[in-house]
Amino acid sequence: MDSSIWILPALPLAGAVVLLLAGRRSDAWGHLLGVLMALASFAFGLVLFFDMLGRATDERSMTETLFTWVPVGALQVDFGLQLDQLSMCFVLLITGVGTLIHIYSISYMADDPDRRRFFAYLNLFLAAMLLLVLADNYLGLYLGWEGVGLASYLLIGFWHERPSAAAAAKKAFIVNRVGDMGLAIAMMIMFATFGSVGFGDVFGGAGEAGEGTLTALGLMLLLAACGKSAQVPLQSWLGDAMEGPTPVSALIHAATMVTAGVYLITRSGPIFNLAPNAQLGVVIVGAVTLLFGAIIGCAKDDIKKALAASTMSQIGYMVLAAGLGPAGYAFAILHLITHGFFKAGLFLGAGSVMHGMDDETDMRRFGGLRTLMPVTFVTFGLGYLAIIGVPPFSGFFSKDKIIETAWAAGGVKGIILGSVAVLGAGITAFYMTRVMLLTFFGEKRWKPDTHPHESPATMTMPMVVLALGSVFAGGLLVLGGSLQHWLEPVVGEHHGHLSVPIWVITAGTLAVVLIGVGIAYRQYAGRSVPTSAPDDVSALTEAARADLYGDAFNEATFMRPGQKLTTALGLADTKGVDGVVSGVAAAVSGLSTRVRRLQTGMVRSYALSMFAGAALLVAMMMVVRVW
């Protein structure tokens, strides 16, 4: 099986190539080919998974070198793939959830004339994401990293005829390029320090590198993760990305692309473990973002944007856990997997609501949909219970483990991180309860010409499967420490020590969650909800509606100074560099013009010049002799 890893990304890549080259000729069957390629990749991933299970623990990692990629002097990079316990988690998540979203998209995009192209982009995205997690070196990872950036740009801007969608795609692309510079610089540091960008060479030599070098390397990797995973300060693109079709939000912005930063940090654990300052930076980014996203989610009336803010917050939990080192790596991946189920299910549920509500996204114009859309209500409700952390749903196990690990950090650090994580859980319970109440409960607030209805089976079936994962995935992966033991050969083993019993933290967290639910119920269940948001709001609500002024901050801090710097450099170039070059040219031209006048072509002028020169020379000789 070691020589067949390439088949995993090759299947969806082949589907994308066929659909893009076939063009309109594949309109009738293109969506079926896209689903088939995703399903085939998932099936082959299962075959590799069971093959891996049958091996001894120290023999489960599989590698494959396809060809020599970059043979340039001292930089020798092979195009190699590596399938180990960590990448296997992502392979099954990407292809499994990806296949369900492909199936869902058959009906969701049924009336779109470019459905074939949409499935081509979905296949392209799966191929790029699989390459990202299967590469055995940072350059291969970078190729997949840029591939998912391209595919996300194409998918977010799929309805490019809408100015908002085109602008959102461009914004996502540009913000991600800022993060990508971090990964590019990190590879430069690796080559300068270790002479290689291969995982084995870099991790093997990390112990010999200086702490300053490792800190710089870790911070650049963190910058890359912030861009791809929408973490502060590069989070501003995620909310706008909801302009793309809803399946895009479920695939890219719930289960795969936004988790790539968590994968990068976890995969680079040997670097961060030796760079405590960089590790602290990861923890701070995660803690700030989980609160940042949660607060924004409280003020969003657009159901997809509320879920997008939630994604930002939940990824913050994962980054926080990854920043805690070996104690948190496994729990970061655990929450990543459970989040892939319940958040993808929530996004697909939102798409089902939109499908039955004539593409309306404003929750203030929903209400009372639980009886008209029972399957959507139940599956969305199970995802809701999972994300707020109600036992025994999956989110309870994964988020609770992160909260416990945060408290186990000890000292002031543990108190701060644990408190932030618990507070984030309470705010999550508030805004997700608000989403449930505004959408499925209360009075009917939709327009008279709207006729809500349940979605077809091809949409509800994937929602049911994801709901089952929302219920059972966390418990199954935690049972007997199964996921921790599975990942130990890759991320290491570490046991945190709590100064208080676990049940105290669990009970306290659940109490905060119940408070969040109660506040939301009191505010939205017993009162009439206006169909438009009130203008008379608090300063915090106003700030949350404006995404806590993330765009304004980036504009003031980066864009405007960048424009001024660019203008200054332009002036320095035109007036300085170009001025010097032009001035030298003008001086030479002027001098040559004047000297040219001496060349008249008249013999008598030359003779007179020679006579004058000779006379001058004789006079000088006489003066010297007299002297």
Side-chain angles (χ1 to χ4, degrees), residues 508-559:
T509 302
L510 289 176
V512 173
V513 167
L514 289 175
I515 292 172
V517 172
I519 295 174
Y521 184 84
R522 178 178 178 275
Q523 186 165 342
Y524 295 100
R527 304 178 183 178
S528 61
V529 178
T531 56
S532 59
D535 295 326
D536 184 18
V537 295
S538 66
L540 180 59
T541 301
E542 185 177 351
R545 287 180 180 176
D547 297 338
L548 295 182
Y549 305 115
D551 284 332
F553 174 81
N554 288 338
E555 180 177 341
T557 307
F558 301 110
M559 192 192 82

CSV table of all heavy atoms in Angstrom, one decimal, residues 508-559:
chain,number,residue,atom,x,y,z
A,508,GLY,N,-18.6,23.3,36.4
A,508,GLY,CA,-18.5,24.7,36.3
A,508,GLY,C,-18.8,25.2,34.8
A,508,GLY,O,-19.5,26.1,34.6
A,509,THR,N,-18.2,24.4,33.9
A,509,THR,CA,-18.4,24.8,32.5
A,509,THR,C,-19.8,24.6,32.1
A,509,THR,O,-20.4,25.4,31.4
A,509,THR,CB,-17.5,23.9,31.6
A,509,THR,OG1,-16.1,24.0,32.0
A,509,THR,CG2,-17.7,24.2,30.1
A,510,LEU,N,-20.5,23.5,32.5
A,510,LEU,CA,-21.9,23.3,32.2
A,510,LEU,C,-22.8,24.3,32.8
A,510,LEU,O,-23.8,24.7,32.2
A,510,LEU,CB,-22.3,21.9,32.6
A,510,LEU,CG,-21.7,20.7,31.8
A,510,LEU,CD1,-22.1,19.4,32.5
A,510,LEU,CD2,-22.2,20.8,30.4
A,511,ALA,N,-22.4,24.8,34.0
A,511,ALA,CA,-23.2,25.8,34.6
A,511,ALA,C,-23.1,27.1,33.8
A,511,ALA,O,-24.2,27.8,33.6
A,511,ALA,CB,-22.7,26.1,36.0
A,512,VAL,N,-21.9,27.5,33.3
A,512,VAL,CA,-21.8,28.6,32.5
A,512,VAL,C,-22.6,28.5,31.2
A,512,VAL,O,-23.2,29.4,30.7
A,512,VAL,CB,-20.3,28.9,32.2
A,512,VAL,CG1,-20.1,30.0,31.2
A,512,VAL,CG2,-19.6,29.3,33.5
A,513,VAL,N,-22.5,27.3,30.6
A,513,VAL,CA,-23.3,27.0,29.4
A,513,VAL,C,-24.8,27.2,29.6
A,513,VAL,O,-25.5,27.8,28.8
A,513,VAL,CB,-23.0,25.6,28.9
A,513,VAL,CG1,-24.0,25.2,27.8
A,513,VAL,CG2,-21.6,25.5,28.3
A,514,LEU,N,-25.3,26.7,30.7
A,514,LEU,CA,-26.7,26.8,31.0
A,514,LEU,C,-27.1,28.3,31.2
A,514,LEU,O,-28.2,28.7,30.9
A,514,LEU,CB,-27.0,26.0,32.3
A,514,LEU,CG,-27.0,24.5,32.1
A,514,LEU,CD1,-27.3,23.8,33.4
A,514,LEU,CD2,-28.1,24.1,31.1
A,515,ILE,N,-26.2,29.1,31.8
A,515,ILE,CA,-26.4,30.5,32.0
A,515,ILE,C,-26.6,31.2,30.6
A,515,ILE,O,-27.5,32.0,30.4
A,515,ILE,CB,-25.3,31.1,32.8
A,515,ILE,CG1,-25.4,30.6,34.3
A,515,ILE,CG2,-25.4,32.7,32.8
A,515,ILE,CD1,-24.2,31.1,35.1
A,516,GLY,N,-25.7,30.8,29.7
A,516,GLY,CA,-25.7,31.4,28.4
A,516,GLY,C,-27.0,31.0,27.7
A,516,GLY,O,-27.7,31.9,27.0
A,517,VAL,N,-27.5,29.7,27.8
A,517,VAL,CA,-28.7,29.3,27.2
A,517,VAL,C,-29.9,30.1,27.9
A,517,VAL,O,-30.8,30.5,27.2
A,517,VAL,CB,-28.9,27.8,27.4
A,517,VAL,CG1,-30.3,27.4,27.0
A,517,VAL,CG2,-27.9,27.0,26.6
A,518,GLY,N,-29.9,30.2,29.2
A,518,GLY,CA,-30.9,30.9,29.9
A,518,GLY,C,-31.1,32.4,29.5
A,518,GLY,O,-32.2,32.9,29.3
A,519,ILE,N,-30.0,33.1,29.3
A,519,ILE,CA,-30.0,34.5,29.0
A,519,ILE,C,-30.6,34.6,27.6
A,519,ILE,O,-31.5,35.5,27.3
A,519,ILE,CB,-28.6,35.1,29.0
A,519,ILE,CG1,-28.1,35.1,30.5
A,519,ILE,CG2,-28.6,36.5,28.4
A,519,ILE,CD1,-26.7,35.6,30.6
A,520,ALA,N,-30.2,33.7,26.6
A,520,ALA,CA,-30.7,33.8,25.3
A,520,ALA,C,-32.2,33.5,25.3
A,520,ALA,O,-33.0,34.1,24.6
A,520,ALA,CB,-30.0,32.8,24.4
A,521,TYR,N,-32.6,32.5,26.1
A,521,TYR,CA,-34.0,32.1,26.1
A,521,TYR,C,-34.9,33.2,26.7
A,521,TYR,O,-35.9,33.6,26.1
A,521,TYR,CB,-34.2,30.9,27.0
A,521,TYR,CG,-35.6,30.3,27.0
A,521,TYR,CD1,-36.1,29.5,26.0
A,521,TYR,CD2,-36.5,30.7,28.0
A,521,TYR,CE1,-37.4,29.0,26.0
A,521,TYR,CE2,-37.8,30.2,28.0
A,521,TYR,CZ,-38.2,29.4,27.0
A,521,TYR,OH,-39.5,28.9,27.1
A,522,ARG,N,-34.4,33.9,27.7
A,522,ARG,CA,-35.1,35.0,28.3
A,522,ARG,C,-35.2,36.1,27.3
A,522,ARG,O,-36.3,36.8,27.3
A,522,ARG,CB,-34.4,35.4,29.6
A,522,ARG,CG,-35.0,36.6,30.3
A,522,ARG,CD,-34.3,37.0,31.6
A,522,ARG,NE,-34.9,38.1,32.2
A,522,ARG,CZ,-34.6,39.4,31.9
A,522,ARG,NH1,-33.7,39.7,31.0
A,522,ARG,NH2,-35.1,40.4,32.6
A,523,GLN,N,-34.2,36.4,26.5
A,523,GLN,CA,-34.2,37.5,25.6
A,523,GLN,C,-35.0,37.3,24.3
A,523,GLN,O,-35.6,38.2,23.8
A,523,GLN,CB,-32.8,37.9,25.3
A,523,GLN,CG,-32.6,39.2,24.5
A,523,GLN,CD,-31.2,39.7,24.5
A,523,GLN,OE1,-30.4,39.3,25.4
A,523,GLN,NE2,-30.9,40.6,23.6
A,524,TYR,N,-35.0,36.1,23.9
A,524,TYR,CA,-35.6,35.8,22.5
A,524,TYR,C,-36.8,34.9,22.5
A,524,TYR,O,-37.6,34.9,21.5
A,524,TYR,CB,-34.5,35.2,21.6
A,524,TYR,CG,-33.4,36.2,21.3
A,524,TYR,CD1,-32.2,36.1,22.0
A,524,TYR,CD2,-33.6,37.2,20.4
A,524,TYR,CE1,-31.2,37.0,21.8
A,524,TYR,CE2,-32.5,38.1,20.2
A,524,TYR,CZ,-31.3,38.0,20.9
A,524,TYR,OH,-30.3,38.9,20.6
A,525,ALA,N,-37.0,34.1,23.6
A,525,ALA,CA,-38.2,33.2,23.6
A,525,ALA,C,-39.4,33.8,24.1
A,525,ALA,O,-40.5,33.5,23.6
A,525,ALA,CB,-37.9,31.9,24.4
A,526,GLY,N,-39.3,34.7,25.0
A,526,GLY,CA,-40.5,35.3,25.6
A,526,GLY,C,-40.9,36.7,25.1
A,526,GLY,O,-41.8,37.3,25.6
A,527,ARG,N,-40.2,37.1,24.1
A,527,ARG,CA,-40.5,38.5,23.5
A,527,ARG,C,-40.7,38.4,22.0
A,527,ARG,O,-40.2,37.5,21.4
A,527,ARG,CB,-39.3,39.4,23.8
A,527,ARG,CG,-38.9,39.5,25.3
A,527,ARG,CD,-37.7,40.5,25.5
A,527,ARG,NE,-37.3,40.6,26.9
A,527,ARG,CZ,-36.3,41.3,27.3
A,527,ARG,NH1,-35.5,41.9,26.4
A,527,ARG,NH2,-35.9,41.3,28.5
A,528,SER,N,-41.4,39.3,21.5
A,528,SER,CA,-41.6,39.4,20.0
A,528,SER,C,-40.3,39.9,19.4
A,528,SER,O,-39.6,40.7,19.9
A,528,SER,CB,-42.7,40.3,19.6
A,528,SER,OG,-42.5,41.6,20.1
A,529,VAL,N,-40.0,39.3,18.3
A,529,VAL,CA,-38.7,39.6,17.6
A,529,VAL,C,-39.0,40.5,16.4
A,529,VAL,O,-39.8,40.1,15.5
A,529,VAL,CB,-38.0,38.4,17.1
A,529,VAL,CG1,-36.7,38.7,16.3
A,529,VAL,CG2,-37.7,37.5,18.3
A,530,PRO,N,-38.5,41.7,16.3
A,530,PRO,CA,-38.7,42.6,15.2
A,530,PRO,C,-38.1,42.0,13.9
A,530,PRO,O,-37.0,41.4,14.0
A,530,PRO,CB,-38.1,43.9,15.6
A,530,PRO,CG,-37.1,43.6,16.6
A,530,PRO,CD,-37.6,42.4,17.3
A,531,THR,N,-38.6,42.3,12.8
A,531,THR,CA,-38.1,41.8,11.5
A,531,THR,C,-36.9,42.5,11.0
A,531,THR,O,-36.2,42.1,10.1
A,531,THR,CB,-39.2,41.8,10.4
A,531,THR,OG1,-39.6,43.2,10.3
A,531,THR,CG2,-40.3,40.9,10.8
A,532,SER,N,-36.5,43.6,11.7
A,532,SER,CA,-35.3,44.3,11.4
A,532,SER,C,-34.6,44.7,12.7
A,532,SER,O,-35.2,44.8,13.7
A,532,SER,CB,-35.6,45.6,10.6
A,532,SER,OG,-36.4,46.5,11.4
A,533,ALA,N,-33.3,44.7,12.6
A,533,ALA,CA,-32.5,44.9,13.8
A,533,ALA,C,-32.7,46.3,14.3
A,533,ALA,O,-32.7,47.3,13.6
A,533,ALA,CB,-31.0,44.7,13.5
A,534,PRO,N,-32.8,46.5,15.7
A,534,PRO,CA,-33.0,47.9,16.2
A,534,PRO,C,-31.8,48.7,16.1
A,534,PRO,O,-30.6,48.2,16.1
A,534,PRO,CB,-33.3,47.6,17.7
A,534,PRO,CG,-32.7,46.3,18.0
A,534,PRO,CD,-32.8,45.5,16.7
A,535,ASP,N,-32.0,50.0,15.9
A,535,ASP,CA,-30.8,50.9,15.8
A,535,ASP,C,-30.3,51.3,17.1
A,535,ASP,O,-29.1,51.7,17.2
A,535,ASP,CB,-31.2,52.2,15.0
A,535,ASP,CG,-31.6,51.8,13.6
A,535,ASP,OD1,-31.0,50.9,13.0
A,535,ASP,OD2,-32.5,52.5,13.0
A,536,ASP,N,-31.1,51.3,18.1
A,536,ASP,CA,-30.7,51.7,19.5
A,536,ASP,C,-30.1,50.6,20.2
A,536,ASP,O,-30.7,49.7,20.9
A,536,ASP,CB,-31.9,52.2,20.3
A,536,ASP,CG,-31.5,52.8,21.6
A,536,ASP,OD1,-30.3,53.1,21.8
A,536,ASP,OD2,-32.4,52.9,22.5
A,537,VAL,N,-28.7,50.4,20.0
A,537,VAL,CA,-28.0,49.3,20.6
A,537,VAL,C,-26.8,49.8,21.4
A,537,VAL,O,-26.4,50.9,21.3
A,537,VAL,CB,-27.6,48.3,19.5
A,537,VAL,CG1,-28.8,47.6,18.9
A,537,VAL,CG2,-26.7,49.0,18.5
A,538,SER,N,-26.2,48.9,22.2
A,538,SER,CA,-25.1,49.3,23.0
A,538,SER,C,-23.8,49.4,22.1
A,538,SER,O,-23.8,48.9,20.9
A,538,SER,CB,-24.8,48.2,24.1
A,538,SER,OG,-24.4,47.0,23.4
A,539,ALA,N,-22.8,50.0,22.6
A,539,ALA,CA,-21.6,50.2,21.9
A,539,ALA,C,-21.0,48.8,21.5
A,539,ALA,O,-20.4,48.7,20.4
A,539,ALA,CB,-20.6,51.0,22.7
A,540,LEU,N,-21.0,47.9,22.4
A,540,LEU,CA,-20.5,46.5,22.2
A,540,LEU,C,-21.2,45.8,21.0
A,540,LEU,O,-20.6,45.2,20.2
A,540,LEU,CB,-20.5,45.7,23.4
A,540,LEU,CG,-20.0,44.3,23.3
A,540,LEU,CD1,-18.5,44.3,22.9
A,540,LEU,CD2,-20.1,43.5,24.6
A,541,THR,N,-22.6,45.9,21.0
A,541,THR,CA,-23.4,45.3,20.0
A,541,THR,C,-23.0,46.0,18.6
A,541,THR,O,-22.9,45.3,17.6
A,541,THR,CB,-24.8,45.5,20.3
A,541,THR,OG1,-25.1,44.8,21.5
A,541,THR,CG2,-25.7,44.8,19.2
A,542,GLU,N,-22.9,47.3,18.6
A,542,GLU,CA,-22.6,48.0,17.4
A,542,GLU,C,-21.2,47.5,16.9
A,542,GLU,O,-21.0,47.3,15.7
A,542,GLU,CB,-22.6,49.5,17.6
A,542,GLU,CG,-22.4,50.3,16.4
A,542,GLU,CD,-22.5,51.8,16.6
A,542,GLU,OE1,-22.9,52.2,17.7
A,542,GLU,OE2,-22.1,52.6,15.7
A,543,ALA,N,-20.2,47.4,17.8
A,543,ALA,CA,-18.9,46.9,17.4
A,543,ALA,C,-18.9,45.5,16.9
A,543,ALA,O,-18.3,45.2,15.9
A,543,ALA,CB,-18.0,47.0,18.6
A,544,ALA,N,-19.7,44.6,17.6
A,544,ALA,CA,-19.8,43.3,17.1
A,544,ALA,C,-20.5,43.2,15.7
A,544,ALA,O,-20.1,42.4,14.9
A,544,ALA,CB,-20.7,42.4,18.1
A,545,ARG,N,-21.5,44.0,15.5
A,545,ARG,CA,-22.0,44.1,14.1
A,545,ARG,C,-21.0,44.4,13.1
A,545,ARG,O,-21.1,44.0,11.9
A,545,ARG,CB,-23.2,45.1,14.1
A,545,ARG,CG,-24.5,44.6,14.8
A,545,ARG,CD,-25.5,45.7,14.7
A,545,ARG,NE,-26.7,45.4,15.4
A,545,ARG,CZ,-27.8,46.2,15.5
A,545,ARG,NH1,-27.7,47.4,14.9
A,545,ARG,NH2,-28.9,45.8,16.1
A,546,ALA,N,-20.1,45.3,13.5
A,546,ALA,CA,-19.0,45.7,12.5
A,546,ALA,C,-17.8,44.8,12.7
A,546,ALA,O,-16.7,45.2,12.3
A,546,ALA,CB,-18.6,47.1,12.8
A,547,ASP,N,-18.0,43.5,13.1
A,547,ASP,CA,-16.9,42.6,13.3
A,547,ASP,C,-15.8,43.1,14.2
A,547,ASP,O,-14.6,42.8,13.9
A,547,ASP,CB,-16.3,42.2,11.9
A,547,ASP,CG,-17.4,41.5,11.0
A,547,ASP,OD1,-18.3,40.9,11.6
A,547,ASP,OD2,-17.2,41.5,9.8
A,548,LEU,N,-16.2,43.8,15.2
A,548,LEU,CA,-15.2,44.4,16.2
A,548,LEU,C,-14.2,45.2,15.5
A,548,LEU,O,-13.0,45.3,15.9
A,548,LEU,CB,-14.6,43.3,17.0
A,548,LEU,CG,-15.5,42.5,17.9
A,548,LEU,CD1,-14.7,41.5,18.8
A,548,LEU,CD2,-16.3,43.4,18.9
A,549,TYR,N,-14.6,45.8,14.4
A,549,TYR,CA,-13.8,46.8,13.6
A,549,TYR,C,-12.5,46.2,13.1
A,549,TYR,O,-11.5,46.8,13.0
A,549,TYR,CB,-13.5,48.0,14.4
A,549,TYR,CG,-14.7,48.7,15.0
A,549,TYR,CD1,-15.0,48.7,16.4
A,549,TYR,CD2,-15.7,49.3,14.2
A,549,TYR,CE1,-16.1,49.3,16.9
A,549,TYR,CE2,-16.8,49.9,14.7
A,549,TYR,CZ,-17.0,49.9,16.0
A,549,TYR,OH,-18.2,50.5,16.5
A,550,GLY,N,-12.6,44.9,12.8
A,550,GLY,CA,-11.4,44.2,12.2
A,550,GLY,C,-11.0,44.8,10.9
A,550,GLY,O,-9.8,45.0,10.7
A,551,ASP,N,-11.9,45.1,10.0
A,551,ASP,CA,-11.6,45.7,8.7
A,551,ASP,C,-11.0,47.1,8.9
A,551,ASP,O,-10.0,47.5,8.3
A,551,ASP,CB,-12.8,45.8,7.8
A,551,ASP,CG,-13.1,44.4,7.2
A,551,ASP,OD1,-12.2,43.6,7.0
A,551,ASP,OD2,-14.3,44.2,6.9
A,552,ALA,N,-11.6,47.9,9.8
A,552,ALA,CA,-11.1,49.2,10.1
A,552,ALA,C,-9.7,49.2,10.7
A,552,ALA,O,-8.9,50.0,10.3
A,552,ALA,CB,-12.1,49.9,11.1
A,553,PHE,N,-9.5,48.2,11.5
A,553,PHE,CA,-8.1,48.1,12.1
A,553,PHE,C,-7.1,47.8,11.0
A,553,PHE,O,-6.0,48.4,11.0
A,553,PHE,CB,-8.1,47.0,13.2
A,553,PHE,CG,-6.8,46.7,13.8
A,553,PHE,CD1,-6.2,47.5,14.7
A,553,PHE,CD2,-6.1,45.6,13.3
A,553,PHE,CE1,-4.9,47.2,15.2
A,553,PHE,CE2,-4.8,45.3,13.8
A,553,PHE,CZ,-4.2,46.1,14.8
A,554,ASN,N,-7.4,46.8,10.2
A,554,ASN,CA,-6.5,46.4,9.1
A,554,ASN,C,-6.3,47.5,8.2
A,554,ASN,O,-5.2,47.7,7.7
A,554,ASN,CB,-7.1,45.2,8.4
A,554,ASN,CG,-7.0,43.9,9.2
A,554,ASN,OD1,-6.2,43.8,10.2
A,554,ASN,ND2,-7.8,42.9,8.9
A,555,GLU,N,-7.4,48.3,7.9
A,555,GLU,CA,-7.2,49.4,7.0
A,555,GLU,C,-6.3,50.5,7.6
A,555,GLU,O,-5.4,51.0,6.9
A,555,GLU,CB,-8.6,50.0,6.7
A,555,GLU,CG,-8.5,51.2,5.7
A,555,GLU,CD,-9.9,51.7,5.3
A,555,GLU,OE1,-10.9,51.0,5.5
A,555,GLU,OE2,-10.0,52.9,4.8
A,556,ALA,N,-6.5,50.8,8.9
A,556,ALA,CA,-5.7,51.9,9.5
A,556,ALA,C,-4.3,51.4,9.8
A,556,ALA,O,-3.4,52.2,9.7
A,556,ALA,CB,-6.4,52.3,10.8
A,557,THR,N,-4.1,50.1,10.1
A,557,THR,CA,-2.8,49.7,10.5
A,557,THR,C,-1.9,49.2,9.3
A,557,THR,O,-0.7,49.4,9.3
A,557,THR,CB,-3.0,48.5,11.5
A,557,THR,OG1,-3.8,48.9,12.6
A,557,THR,CG2,-1.6,48.1,12.0
A,558,PHE,N,-2.6,48.6,8.3
A,558,PHE,CA,-1.8,48.0,7.2
A,558,PHE,C,-2.1,48.7,5.9
A,558,PHE,O,-1.1,49.0,5.2
A,558,PHE,CB,-2.1,46.5,7.1
A,558,PHE,CG,-1.8,45.7,8.4
A,558,PHE,CD1,-2.8,45.2,9.2
A,558,PHE,CD2,-0.5,45.6,8.8
A,558,PHE,CE1,-2.6,44.6,10.4
A,558,PHE,CE2,-0.2,44.9,10.0
A,558,PHE,CZ,-1.3,44.4,10.8
A,559,MET,N,-3.3,48.8,5.5
A,559,MET,CA,-3.6,49.3,4.2
A,559,MET,C,-3.2,50.7,3.9
A,559,MET,O,-2.4,51.0,3.0
A,559,MET,CB,-5.1,49.1,3.8
A,559,MET,CG,-5.4,49.3,2.4
A,559,MET,SD,-7.2,49.4,2.0
A,559,MET,CE,-7.4,51.2,2.3
